[in-house]
């Protein structure tokens, strides 16, 4: 072995030894240790592991994520904690109590008896507090309490603890090693999770054939719930909440009815791509339905959209408005703003009749992608409560940002970004070609110009985009941690 090879070997071994220390969310304060400290809560030590308690009255997604935490603790320590739904049988034990404000009887009882202070998170979007509490309730001597302001606030705090103990969000998707720890201690103090900078943050599985599609069909038999639950869990572990599903050769809601049901139970807000309005997949429209031409086939298309909204009305979603042509093409050779304005008006009428008479309570988005921005530039406008989703040029350069007047709109603005692209003048797939330096520069501009309602990024087959996906979603949640001077720290840490 040469001297340079020996040095490389030593450095690799050193980096590998540090992996458990870097497993927590990069940039977040570390509050879990494998070494005891004064006042720390013992999560696991020797033959003891603290039971997990979550009320059955809580959201199903919270109960399910608590089950993931139980499994994660077992993977790290070799000991599986008990998963309980009540404290009635406990006698002076230490436990982890998990729940959502206003939904969990456990959490609400602690608040009512002044055992838990949630003043900093109550009523906020996707926020939570993780805190050690003495004598929180009868039967519990000491508790690590995880309390969320809403469903996803609690879920994100659960997965934050998983990451703190050494379980990477990418363990399943990228075979990231889980380190063994004989003991786990949570430092005393208040560990708060604030509201995200961007309200809806997610990915778009696109250009997914042949790589992802071939693998999905081989392993799961298609784009069904058996596959998508892994996508949902990944997003939640990355503190994301939004998904545009694969659409080249699949139809999310039609392929498996469990897809939409489980997305909602897990806590994922579903959408559809820029070319798929009203929660309908492009592949759901067949030749038997006639031409995909609103001027010639309005009645059939309106009914198609109405059935889609009736099917999805009970689930959390952001409804895409507008219309494009078949197979990601322009709707017409010229920007027919009068026709598109008629389409949006009729779509909102359908929403009012099927989902909610108060349209401001239905999140809606108009994707100003490619030629659709021309409609806006030519003077077309949508109601104030609709989010304007600006886009990049398919190569990571933002085409447009909101003006001061546009920043006053109640629907706000967002960004549709690309890590993968198929189209003119050149396609790029299967390689990570957009550096996080460029992502930071462009998305930092988006934040400064008020495009913070929705961020969604086209990630192709998902792999091999793990690195930029995590950075994009991390920046969407806590952008203040990263800037042009410390991006190397993110690269080295991940």
């Amino acid at each position: 072995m040469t001297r340079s090879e020996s040095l490389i070997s030593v450095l690799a071994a050193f980096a590998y030894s540090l992996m458990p220390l870097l497993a927590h969310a990069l940039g977040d304060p570390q509050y879990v240790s494998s070494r005891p400290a004064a006042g720390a809560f013992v999560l696991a030590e020797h033959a003891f592991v603290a039971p997990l308690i979550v009320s059955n009255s809580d959201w199903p997604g919270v109960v399910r994520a608590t089950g993931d935490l139980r499994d994660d603790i077992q993977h790290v320590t070799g000991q599986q904690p008990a998963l309980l739904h009540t404290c009635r049988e406990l006698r002076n034990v230490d436990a982890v109590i998990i729940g959502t404000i206003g939904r969990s009887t456990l959490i609400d009882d602690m608040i009512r008896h002044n055992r838990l202070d949630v003043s900093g998170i109550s009523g906020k979007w996707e926020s939570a507090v993780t805190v050690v509490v003495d004598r929180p309730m009868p039967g519990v001597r000491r508790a690590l309490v995880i309390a969320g302001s809403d469903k996803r606030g609690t879920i994100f705090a659960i997965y934050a603890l998983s990451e703190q103990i050494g379980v990477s969000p990418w363990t399943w998707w990228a075979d990231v090693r889980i380190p063994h720890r004989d003991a786990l201690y949570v430092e005393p103090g208040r560990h708060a999770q604030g509201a995200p900078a961007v309200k809806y943050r997610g990915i778009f599985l696109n250009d997914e054939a042949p790589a992802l599609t071939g693998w999905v069909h081989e392993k799961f038999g298609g784009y069904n719930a058996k596959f998508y639950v892994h996508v949902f869990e990944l997003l939640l572990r990355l503190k994301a909440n939004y998904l545009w599903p694969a659409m080249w050769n699949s139809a999310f809601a039609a392929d498996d009815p469990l897809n939409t049901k489980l997305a909602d139970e897990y806590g994922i807000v579903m959408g559809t791509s820029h070319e798929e309005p009203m929660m309908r997949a492009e592949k759901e429209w067949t030749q038997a339905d006639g031409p995909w031409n609103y001027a010639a086939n309005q009645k059939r298309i309106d009914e198609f959209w109405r059935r889609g909204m009736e099917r999805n009305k009970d689930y959390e979603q952001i409804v895409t408005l507008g219309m494009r042509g078949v197979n990601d093409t322009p709707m017409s050779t010229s920007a027919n703003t009068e026709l598109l304005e008629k389409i949006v008006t009729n779509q909102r009428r359908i929403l009012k009749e099927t989902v909610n008479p108060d349209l401001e309570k239905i999140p809606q988005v108009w994707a100003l992608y490619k030629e659709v921005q021309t409609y806006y530039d030519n003077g077309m406008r949508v109601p104030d409560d609709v989010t304007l989703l600006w886009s990049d040029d398919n190569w990571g350069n933002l085409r447009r940002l909101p003006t001061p007047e546009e920043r006053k709109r109640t629907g706000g603005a967002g960004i549709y970004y690309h890590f993968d692209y198929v189209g003119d003048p050149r396609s790029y797939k299967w390689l990570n070609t957009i550096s996080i330096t460029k992502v930071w520069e462009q998305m930092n501009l988006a934040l400064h110009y008020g495009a913070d309602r929705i961020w969604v990024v086209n990630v192709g087959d998902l792999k091999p985009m793990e690195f930029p996906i995590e950075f994009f979603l991390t920046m969407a949640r806590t952008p203040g941690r990263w800037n042009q001077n410390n991006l190397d720290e993110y690269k080295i840490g991940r």
Side-chain angles (χ1 to χ4, degrees):
M1 179 181 290
T2 66
R3 182 177 178 183
S4 61
E5 288 172 335
S6 177
L7 178 61
I8 291 171
S9 178
V10 169
L11 289 174
F14 177 69
Y16 188 82
S17 72
L18 290 179
M19 284 180 63
L21 302 178
L22 299 173
H24 68 285
L26 197 62
D28 289 352
Q30 179 74 31
Y31 57 84
V32 175
S33 173
S34 59
R35 299 179 179 88
F41 176 85
V42 179
L43 186 60
E45 184 182 59
H46 306 305
F48 169 80
V49 59
L52 310 180
I53 309 170
V54 59
S55 172
N56 274 327
S57 66
D58 216 316
W59 297 100
V62 170
V63 177
R64 190 206 61 77
T66 303
D68 283 349
L69 177 60
R70 173 196 58 195
D71 295 342
D72 290 345
I73 292 172
Q74 181 179 22
H75 288 143
V76 172
T77 67
Q79 303 179 76
Q80 186 180 75
L83 179 54
L84 310 174
H85 301 293
T86 178
C87 299
R88 292 193 197 100
E89 304 301 320
L90 298 181
R91 296 290 182 270
N92 201 36
V93 301
D94 291 358
V96 180
I97 301 175
I98 297 168
T100 309
I101 299 169
R103 186 82 180 194
S104 168
T105 54
L106 300 169
I107 297 298
D108 291 349
D109 282 347
M110 281 189 280
I111 296 171
R112 187 163 47 250
H113 291 96
N114 298 316
R115 299 291 187 182
L116 180 65
D117 177 13
V118 294
S119 57
I121 64 163
S122 183
K124 293 186 178 180
W125 179 260
E126 294 180 351
S127 301
V129 63
T130 300
V131 61
V132 178
V133 178
D134 292 326
R135 300 292 176 187
M137 59 185 58
V140 180
R141 184 185 71 89
R142 204 160 185 247
L144 176 66
V145 178
I146 297 175
S149 62
D150 55 22
K151 172 171 59 177
R152 280 186 296 272
T154 311
I155 292 170
F156 293 157
I158 291 168
Y159 285 130
L161 181 58
S162 282
E163 199 162 3
Q164 286 275 333
I165 69 175
V167 180
S168 165
W170 298 99
T171 291
W172 189 87
W173 281 93
D175 300 319
V176 178
R177 183 178 69 89
I178 298 175
H180 176 79
R181 289 287 181 262
D182 291 325
L184 295 169
Y185 306 94
V186 181
E187 294 178 1
R190 187 178 180 85
H191 313 287
Q193 169 188 290
V198 178
K199 187 170 186 178
Y200 297 104
R201 315 162 303 282
I203 65 174
F204 176 24
L205 299 177
N206 192 221
D207 311 326
E208 65 273 14
L212 182 64
T213 296
W215 178 77
V216 166
H217 280 272
E218 177 187 346
K219 301 297 182 182
F220 301 100
Y223 283 100
N224 51 40
K226 289 182 289 185
F227 162 72
Y228 270 112
V229 291
H230 295 290
V231 180
F232 303 155
E233 183 182 324
L234 173 67
L235 289 173
L236 295 172
R237 285 183 182 269
L238 291 171
K239 319 301 187 298
N241 60 10
Y242 186 47
L243 176 65
W244 285 2
M247 46 75 66
W248 264 22
N249 298 297
S250 57
F252 181 79
D255 288 344
D256 185 347
L258 281 175
N259 282 343
T260 49
K261 180 178 184 295
L262 289 177
D264 194 67
E265 286 187 8
Y266 269 65
I268 298 298
V269 181
M270 290 304 303
T272 47
S273 71
H274 54 83
E275 61 170 309
E276 298 177 300
M278 301 293 278
M279 303 306 295
R280 296 306 299 259
E282 182 181 67
K283 291 297 181 274
E284 291 185 82
W285 184 263
T286 66
Q287 289 186 340
D289 295 311
W292 184 250
N293 182 321
Y294 200 78
N297 199 16
Q298 175 184 334
K299 184 176 179 181
R300 296 291 290 274
I301 294 174
D302 279 350
E303 182 56 30
F304 176 72
W305 287 337
R306 181 180 295 276
R307 293 197 307 270
M309 294 316 308
E310 288 173 344
R311 176 184 64 192
N312 286 63
K313 65 181 179 180
D314 295 326
Y315 302 127
E316 196 174 4
Q317 60 197 337
I318 302 176
V319 181
T320 298
L321 300 181
M323 186 173 181
R324 297 190 70 212
V326 175
N327 295 325
D328 204 7
T329 59
M331 183 177 68
S332 58
T333 55
S334 61
N336 189 341
T337 57
E338 183 178 350
L339 178 59
L340 192 54
E341 285 172 347
K342 177 182 178 181
I343 289 170
V344 172
T345 297
N346 290 344
Q347 288 172 336
R348 283 171 62 86
R349 173 180 51 79
I350 293 169
L351 291 177
K352 182 179 289 188
E353 293 169 354
T354 58
V355 181
N356 194 319
D358 186 352
L359 288 171
E360 293 190 3
K361 293 183 178 178
I362 308 172
Q364 301 155 66
V365 63
W366 184 31
L368 301 167
Y369 178 61
K370 283 191 173 180
E371 83 289 342
V372 181
Q373 186 176 318
T374 306
Y375 288 83
Y376 191 90
D377 293 341
N378 288 350
M380 179 178 164
R381 296 296 181 265
V382 292
D384 215 44
D385 58 283
V386 178
T387 302
L388 299 179
L389 192 68
W390 302 102
S391 180
D392 67 345
D393 61 356
N394 299 313
W395 294 79
N397 307 293
L398 299 184
R399 297 175 65 197
R400 173 79 146 71
L401 287 165
T403 65
E405 191 62 29
E406 289 164 348
R407 293 200 284 274
K408 299 175 184 177
R409 301 178 70 261
T410 58
I415 299 295
Y416 169 41
Y417 203 71
H418 285 77
F419 292 156
D420 169 283
Y421 176 65
V422 170
D424 293 330
R426 184 186 295 274
S427 304
Y428 58 95
K429 288 166 63 83
W430 306 321
L431 290 175
N432 175 13
T433 60
I434 306 296
S435 71
I436 66 168
T437 307
K438 186 170 191 174
V439 174
W440 178 85
E441 178 206 33
Q442 294 295 295
M443 302 314 290
N444 184 56
L445 283 171
L447 286 169
H448 279 283
Y449 281 83
D452 58 5
R453 185 63 56 88
I454 301 170
W455 283 12
V456 59
V457 58
N458 187 324
V459 301
D461 303 275
L462 196 149
K463 297 178 71 68
M465 305 301 177
E466 296 95 335
F467 180 70
I469 287 172
E470 184 165 0
F471 180 77
F472 181 90
L473 296 176
T474 298
M475 188 176 177
R477 185 166 182 86
T478 52
R481 177 62 179 83
W482 303 104
N483 58 58
Q484 69 274 26
N485 298 315
N486 64 6
L487 293 180
D488 281 344
E489 180 185 339
Y490 194 93
K491 296 174 185 176
I492 293 169
R494 276 292 176 259

